[in-house]
Amino acid sequence: MRIDIVTLFPELCDTFLSASILGRARAKNLFETHCHQIRDYTLNKQKQTDDYPYGGGCGMVLYAQPIADCLRAVQAQCREQGRAAPHIVFLTAAGAPYDEAKARELAQYDAVTLVCGHYEGIDQRVIDAFGDEEVSIGDYVLTGGELASLVVADSVLRLQPGVLAEEKGYQDESYWDGLLEYPQYTRPEVWEGRAVPPVLLTGDHQKIEVWRGEQSRIRTRTRRPDLYDQWCATHPLTELPKWKRGENMRLVKTEEQWQRAAELAAEGRRAVGAPVGTPDVLASLTAEALLPQLLQQHKDGWAFYLHFTKNVPDGMVGVCHRTGRIGCLFVTEVSRGKGIGAKMLDFARKKLPEHTNPTLTVLNTNTRAIALYKRMGWVPAGTEAVYDPAKDAFCAVYCEELRMSYRPPVNDFVSADQQC
Ligand code: SAM
């Protein structure tokens, strides 16, 4: 690969690219880098590179001509080397956000040219004429594009074969799989009273992998819920209960599945609410009323699953990766008593491995469900809400919404954040 940087400060860029891992890789000809001085392509006697902006305003704007001529020179050099035309990227504060996916995309090109602005920026016409894209390295403004171009060059060049000692080196790192990396530790074992998490000293690689995976998920969920939601959508993490033939769970995705989920939610809520709700409220629990609620919950981070027996949906459950909540656990009347509710609860809990103690809520009048949850390791964890007919028009009798929390059996794997 060849990376060219078009800049007013080529020495600055070259110094960075000559140091450390990239410098050693460049010396081994694992890639080429060339830094070009824009000033060398000016046509005026003073070698001036910028001028006042049309329309007024403060600061100066880089001329189109020297940048265009410099880019033409780079294109000619690539042609002479038998390379494809370089992919030209302008670093601008208003460009598209740069991320690891873009780094991987740029790493596929044989030649990439990075153009750095300065002062107030670059005459837009040269960007329009030559630019394949504009990227920004973050929502802040730098004095020049040099640091930004080096960020791009570094993240792209480290992906070139041979630059890092092992390919696994970058495959384990933050963003590679859409998650942030787990925390790293080195010697000594105890530093200023802080011990390395014991699991890392066991030598048990399987346990360490599990711990690291869990740490990655915890970090991503807490620091970058946006990344975590994207990751959850493509990574089913479930060790499934033993389904019978013709029995399975499907993520609610299609319009038809959302409709069926709303119907099941309505049927379930009416059944659960029957002993406590007023007739008006029970009548209002329809699929039409519940569908927008489910869609809103989905936007808030919930995923819903339908249980199918021989292609007939007869149960549903929802999980929220962000909060570790399980909800909307319903089984149709005809399918009750077959253990489907227990299997769905087990399924939902295993969908949330990053939450050691997931929670759910249940009405205190739903004694059957409470007994099932207790048998499955869920314990009361307080009262979520109190419904009093004197204050709440929708309920006919006093009831409480109880919170329950899953407590793993004591011999289960103890999560790292509990250990530390
Ligand atoms: N007037 C420009 C604006 O408001 O968008 C800012 C110009 S900035 C002071 C000068 C140069 O720094 C830009 O032309 C660009 O090359 C570079 N630059 C500044 N912030 C950047 C960022 N977040 N990402 C990439 N390049 C940036």
Side-chain angles (χ1 to χ4, degrees), residues 238-249 307 338-340 342-344 346-347 350:
T238 318
E239 183 200 311
L240 295 172
K242 295 253 175 296
W243 306 112
K244 284 193 186 139
R245 194 198 292 251
E247 196 189 7
N248 59 40
M249 298 289 289
H307 176 275
K338 297 178 184 167
I340 294 172
K343 280 193 205 173
M344 287 199 301
D346 194 33
F347 168 90
K350 287 174 177 164

Coordinates of all heavy atoms in Angstrom, one line a residue, residues 238-249 307 338-340 342-344 346-347 350:
T238 N -26.8 -16.9 22.9 CA -27.5 -17.8 23.8 C -27.1 -19.2 23.7 O -26.9 -19.8 22.7 CB -29.0 -17.7 23.3 OG1 -29.3 -16.3 23.1 CG2 -29.9 -18.2 24.4
E239 N -27.0 -19.8 24.9 CA -26.9 -21.2 25.0 C -28.4 -21.7 25.2 O -29.0 -21.4 26.3 CB -26.0 -21.5 26.2 CG -25.7 -22.9 26.5 CD -25.3 -23.1 27.9 OE1 -24.5 -22.3 28.3 OE2 -25.9 -23.9 28.6
L240 N -29.0 -22.2 24.2 CA -30.4 -22.4 24.2 C -30.9 -23.6 25.1 O -30.1 -24.6 25.2 CB -31.0 -22.7 22.8 CG -30.8 -21.5 21.9 CD1 -31.1 -21.9 20.5 CD2 -31.6 -20.3 22.3
P241 N -32.0 -23.4 25.8 CA -32.6 -24.6 26.5 C -32.9 -25.7 25.5 O -32.9 -25.5 24.3 CB -33.9 -24.1 27.1 CG -33.9 -22.6 26.9 CD -33.0 -22.3 25.8
K242 N -33.2 -26.9 25.9 CA -33.5 -28.0 25.0 C -34.9 -27.8 24.4 O -35.9 -28.1 25.1 CB -33.4 -29.3 25.7 CG -32.0 -29.7 26.2 CD -31.4 -30.8 25.4 CE -30.0 -31.1 25.8 NZ -29.0 -30.0 25.6
W243 N -35.0 -27.4 23.2 CA -36.3 -27.2 22.6 C -36.7 -28.6 22.0 O -35.9 -29.4 21.6 CB -36.2 -26.3 21.4 CG -35.6 -24.9 21.7 CD1 -34.5 -24.4 21.3 CD2 -36.2 -23.9 22.6 NE1 -34.3 -23.2 21.8 CE2 -35.4 -22.8 22.6 CE3 -37.4 -23.9 23.3 CZ2 -35.6 -21.7 23.4 CZ3 -37.7 -22.7 24.0 CH2 -36.8 -21.6 24.1
K244 N -38.1 -28.8 22.0 CA -38.6 -30.0 21.4 C -38.6 -29.8 19.9 O -38.5 -28.7 19.4 CB -40.0 -30.2 21.9 CG -40.1 -30.7 23.3 CD -41.6 -31.1 23.5 CE -41.8 -31.5 25.0 NZ -43.1 -31.1 25.4
R245 N -38.8 -30.9 19.2 CA -38.9 -30.8 17.7 C -40.0 -29.9 17.4 O -41.1 -29.9 18.0 CB -39.2 -32.2 17.1 CG -38.9 -32.3 15.7 CD -39.6 -33.5 15.1 NE -39.0 -34.7 15.6 CZ -38.3 -35.5 14.9 NH1 -38.1 -35.2 13.6 NH2 -37.8 -36.6 15.4
G246 N -39.8 -29.0 16.4 CA -40.8 -28.1 16.0 C -41.0 -26.9 16.9 O -41.9 -26.0 16.7
E247 N -40.1 -26.7 17.9 CA -40.2 -25.6 18.8 C -39.0 -24.7 18.7 O -37.9 -25.2 18.7 CB -40.2 -26.3 20.2 CG -40.7 -25.4 21.3 CD -40.5 -26.0 22.7 OE1 -39.8 -27.0 22.8 OE2 -40.9 -25.4 23.7
N248 N -39.2 -23.4 18.6 CA -38.0 -22.5 18.5 C -38.4 -21.1 18.9 O -39.6 -20.8 19.0 CB -37.3 -22.6 17.1 CG -38.3 -22.2 16.0 OD1 -39.0 -21.3 16.2 ND2 -38.2 -22.9 14.9
M249 N -37.4 -20.3 19.0 CA -37.6 -18.8 19.3 C -37.1 -18.0 18.1 O -36.1 -18.3 17.5 CB -36.8 -18.4 20.5 CG -37.1 -19.1 21.8 SD -38.7 -18.7 22.5 CE -38.4 -17.0 23.1
H307 N -42.1 -17.3 20.7 CA -41.9 -18.8 20.8 C -42.9 -19.4 19.8 O -44.0 -19.1 19.7 CB -42.2 -19.3 22.2 CG -42.1 -20.8 22.3 ND1 -43.2 -21.6 22.0 CD2 -41.1 -21.6 22.7 CE1 -42.8 -22.8 22.2 NE2 -41.6 -22.8 22.7
K338 N -47.0 -26.4 29.6 CA -46.0 -27.3 28.9 C -44.6 -26.9 29.1 O -43.7 -27.4 28.4 CB -46.3 -27.2 27.4 CG -47.7 -27.7 27.0 CD -47.9 -27.5 25.5 CE -49.3 -27.9 25.1 NZ -49.6 -27.5 23.7
G339 N -44.4 -26.0 30.1 CA -43.0 -25.6 30.4 C -42.5 -24.6 29.5 O -41.3 -24.3 29.5
I340 N -43.3 -24.0 28.6 CA -42.8 -23.0 27.6 C -42.3 -21.7 28.4 O -41.3 -21.1 28.0 CB -43.8 -22.7 26.6 CG1 -44.1 -24.0 25.7 CG2 -43.4 -21.5 25.7 CD1 -45.3 -23.9 24.8
A342 N -41.1 -21.4 31.3 CA -39.8 -21.6 32.0 C -38.7 -21.6 31.0 O -37.7 -21.0 31.2 CB -39.9 -22.9 32.7
K343 N -38.9 -22.2 29.8 CA -37.9 -22.2 28.8 C -37.6 -20.8 28.3 O -36.5 -20.4 28.1 CB -38.3 -23.1 27.6 CG -38.1 -24.6 27.9 CD -38.3 -25.3 26.5 CE -38.8 -26.7 26.7 NZ -39.1 -27.3 25.5
M344 N -38.7 -20.1 28.1 CA -38.5 -18.7 27.6 C -37.8 -17.8 28.6 O -36.9 -17.0 28.2 CB -39.8 -18.1 27.2 CG -40.4 -18.6 25.9 SD -41.7 -17.6 25.2 CE -42.8 -17.4 26.5
D346 N -35.6 -18.9 30.8 CA -34.2 -19.3 30.7 C -33.5 -18.7 29.5 O -32.4 -18.2 29.6 CB -34.2 -20.9 30.7 CG -32.9 -21.5 31.0 OD1 -32.2 -20.9 31.8 OD2 -32.6 -22.5 30.4
F347 N -34.2 -18.8 28.4 CA -33.7 -18.3 27.1 C -33.4 -16.8 27.3 O -32.3 -16.3 26.9 CB -34.8 -18.5 26.0 CG -34.5 -17.7 24.8 CD1 -33.8 -18.3 23.7 CD2 -35.1 -16.4 24.6 CE1 -33.6 -17.6 22.5 CE2 -34.9 -15.7 23.4 CZ -34.1 -16.3 22.4
K350 N -30.4 -16.0 29.5 CA -29.1 -16.3 28.9 C -28.8 -15.4 27.8 O -27.6 -15.3 27.3 CB -29.1 -17.8 28.4 CG -29.0 -18.7 29.5 CD -29.2 -20.2 29.1 CE -29.0 -21.1 30.3 NZ -29.5 -22.4 30.0

